[in-house]
Amino acid sequence: MKKALIIGAGLSGLTAARILAEHGFLVTVLEKRDHIGGNVYDYFENDILVHKYGPHLFHTRQKEIADFIQRFSEFFPYEHRVLGEIKDKLVPIPFNFKSIDLLFPAEEAEHLKEVLTRAYPDGGSVPIMELREHPDTKVKELAEFVFQNVFCGYTKKQWGKTPEEMDSSVMGRVPVRMSYDDRYFTDEFQMMPVEGYTAMLRNMAEHENISIRYCCDALRHLGIVGEKLYFDKELCDYPVIYTGCVEDLLGAKFGRLPYRSLRFEAEHKNVTQAQPVVQVNYPNCYSYTRTSEFKLVQKKEVPGRTIVIYEYPLPCKEGDIPYYPAESEESREIYNRYRTELKRLPNLYLLGRLAEYKYYNMDMAISQALMLARSLTEKEDFVDAEAVWTAE
């Protein structure tokens, strides 16, 4: 029987494991933590579902991805809405026409919406940096207001940098919406697993060809000699998919890549609901960026008590969990050196947010894993997951 080794029992690793297992591969998954699911791991605390590593909301435009995950869990529809505290008011984020109505006098608000509708008649989303360059003075003034009050403070806390210091790929993800659509995501498929992501991934891993070893630091077992990979000194002549920090494979010989980490504080409250929505952002006040009330995104109702999680961004030091690649021209150059060095190993495949050093939403992580695993079932030469994604 064909074999495969996967490092990491998170969303990317287990998606790949499931596809390979269904195509006759005997798959071993090594997980450093003591639980399945990576950063999407969740658990119930007195009937309240807690996302241990921060909120994860599933959304996608790809029906194939939605269909795939629904094989492993029942889902219920959920459209995420976020409020931000701006000028002592809670307004919808992304900033939209409703936000304008709440923050500006009625006459001025109507005028601003008329100007924006003329400038962007399709009612879509526009990156804030594009709005700041708009020739219309009123549009530029609004863009500057949004930039200063919504994005500047949040960016400084989240990334430890000013917006001007940020990579353009990050700031390009920040939109202003030219309509009353106050949903955080506009994808066709938006839903949540009834029993949580942990249960979903346990079902995904429930296959006779998949075995998982927990509390296993794969780097203590893997060895690289020339163009060959070894596991416990035995030659790996089968596919090895790695989902961890890429620099760890080579002892950080080119330096450590920068990431941002997070610290969470939980507050238990004896109320049925503490916030008007699941997530409230605080761009300008406090040292935390947002609060999340996960109970509001589960199907089961729990009266009289709730949990609010406070999220504090921080630099990722040794021993911290890396959450977000701190992308920049310099960090991409370092990553490319690791990537080039590792390409000499024809049966090693880098997969996921950490290994590919790229920000992926959940659906993109699943899509990458599906493409890589399917390609491995068809051919044995080195597959560049990023190139496959781009080609698709």
Side-chain angles (χ1 to χ4, degrees):
M1 179 177 282
K2 298 172 288 186
K3 294 171 59 177
L5 177 65
I6 297 179
I7 314 301
L11 186 61
S12 297
L14 291 180
T15 297
R18 182 70 188 205
I19 296 300
L20 291 174
E22 291 176 348
H23 283 79
F25 281 77
L26 189 62
V27 184
T28 300
V29 182
L30 306 182
E31 172 54 53
K32 190 174 183 179
R33 298 173 181 172
D34 62 357
H35 62 73
I36 203 169
N39 285 356
V40 304
Y41 172 74
D42 52 22
Y43 60 94
F44 282 95
E45 181 178 332
N46 296 324
D47 292 330
I48 296 175
L49 187 64
V50 176
H51 297 208
K52 182 173 182 177
Y53 304 102
H56 288 82
L57 297 312
F58 182 80
H59 57 98
T60 186
R61 291 181 171 86
Q62 301 182 62
K63 185 177 184 299
E64 178 193 20
I65 305 302
D67 289 344
F68 174 75
I69 62 171
Q70 287 180 95
R71 292 173 53 194
F72 310 106
S73 174
E74 180 186 353
F75 280 75
F76 65 95
Y78 168 75
E79 292 185 333
H80 193 51
R81 284 173 171 80
V82 175
L83 298 177
E85 187 179 84
I86 312 296
K87 301 289 186 180
D88 297 323
K89 294 183 179 180
L90 292 180
V91 306
I93 302 294
F95 203 87
N96 56 57
F97 282 5
K98 187 175 181 179
S99 310
I100 293 174
D101 288 342
L102 289 168
L103 288 170
F104 293 90
E107 187 174 339
E108 185 177 357
E110 289 304 316
H111 178 66
L112 284 170
K113 289 182 291 183
E114 288 175 9
V115 170
L116 291 171
T117 300
R118 285 198 302 269
Y120 301 97
D122 63 349
S125 298
V126 182
I128 183 63
M129 305 310 277
E130 178 182 327
L131 274 183
R132 294 182 81 200
E133 301 299 323
H134 198 278
D136 189 288
T137 302
K138 281 294 181 183
V139 174
K140 291 181 71 171
E141 287 177 356
L142 176 65
E144 195 61 29
F145 174 88
V146 176
F147 182 76
Q148 294 297 332
N149 290 278
V150 179
F151 301 126
C152 276
Y154 197 94
T155 298
K156 288 176 184 177
K157 286 193 286 185
Q158 179 71 14
W159 297 101
K161 295 180 179 181
T162 65
E164 290 79 9
E165 295 173 311
M166 292 297 298
D167 189 80
S168 59
S169 65
V170 177
M171 292 309 296
R173 299 197 292 262
V174 178
V176 175
R177 197 161 288 153
M178 302 303 165
S179 69
Y180 276 99
D181 187 351
D182 64 348
R183 296 174 301 163
Y184 198 74
F185 308 114
T186 59
D187 298 335
E188 179 181 356
F189 303 98
Q190 301 185 45
M191 55 191 182
M192 294 293 291
V194 171
E195 298 298 327
Y197 292 111
T198 299
M200 180 190 82
L201 289 174
R202 283 187 182 136
N203 290 336
M204 191 181 293
E206 189 65 32
H207 192 284
E208 61 182 0
N209 289 346
I210 297 175
S211 62
I212 304 177
R213 290 171 55 183
Y214 295 102
C215 302
C216 179
D217 186 351
L219 297 177
R220 296 185 178 182
H221 300 270
L222 282 177
I224 299 175
V225 180
E227 297 180 357
K228 298 184 183 300
L229 265 174
Y230 292 83
F231 185 78
D232 287 340
K233 299 182 180 180
E234 291 188 6
L235 178 65
C236 294
D237 56 356
Y238 45 83
V240 176
I241 297 175
Y242 180 77
T243 69
C245 293
V246 68
E247 65 266 34
D248 290 340
L249 277 172
L250 294 172
K253 63 186 292 186
F254 302 128
R256 300 214 66 84
L257 287 162
Y259 300 87
R260 295 291 287 178
S261 190
L262 298 169
R263 177 173 63 86
F264 302 99
E265 290 185 1
E267 184 176 351
H268 294 70
K269 295 176 178 286
N270 293 322
V271 296
T272 296
Q273 183 170 339
Q275 301 186 161
V277 292
V278 172
Q279 180 182 325
V280 178
N281 290 359
Y282 295 91
N284 304 308
C285 302
Y286 315 114
S287 56
Y288 48 86
T289 49
R290 61 184 178 178
T291 56
S292 299
E293 189 174 2
F294 300 128
K295 194 187 78 170
L296 304 184
V297 77
Q298 69 182 57
K299 192 168 186 179
K300 181 180 180 180
E301 295 184 4
V302 182
R305 50 193 168 83
T306 190
I307 302 173
V308 175
I309 305 294
Y310 295 75
E311 188 171 313
Y312 297 82
L314 65 156
C316 188
K317 305 185 296 296
E318 186 174 355
D320 292 336
I321 297 174
Y323 286 89
Y324 304 107
E327 298 177 69
S328 67
E329 185 176 337
E330 181 182 0
S331 65
R332 278 196 296 270
E333 182 178 333
I334 296 172
Y335 173 76
N336 286 333
R337 294 182 70 185
Y338 284 115
R339 185 188 177 107
T340 299
E341 180 98 353
L342 290 168
K343 278 189 174 180
R344 75 176 191 265
L345 302 167
N347 60 321
L348 176 69
Y349 306 92
L350 303 178
L351 179 68
R353 184 185 287 195
L354 299 181
E356 296 181 71
Y357 200 69
K358 184 177 294 186
Y359 182 88
Y360 283 143
N361 287 325
M362 295 175 69
D363 65 326
M364 294 176 66
I366 294 169
S367 180
Q368 288 287 86
L370 289 175
M371 285 188 289
L372 174 58
R374 287 167 179 167
S375 65
L376 287 174
T377 67
E378 298 169 358
K379 56 185 178 180
E380 297 179 356
D381 56 332
F382 187 93
V383 176
D384 184 331
E386 181 179 349
V388 172
W389 170 262
T390 305
E392 290 291 327

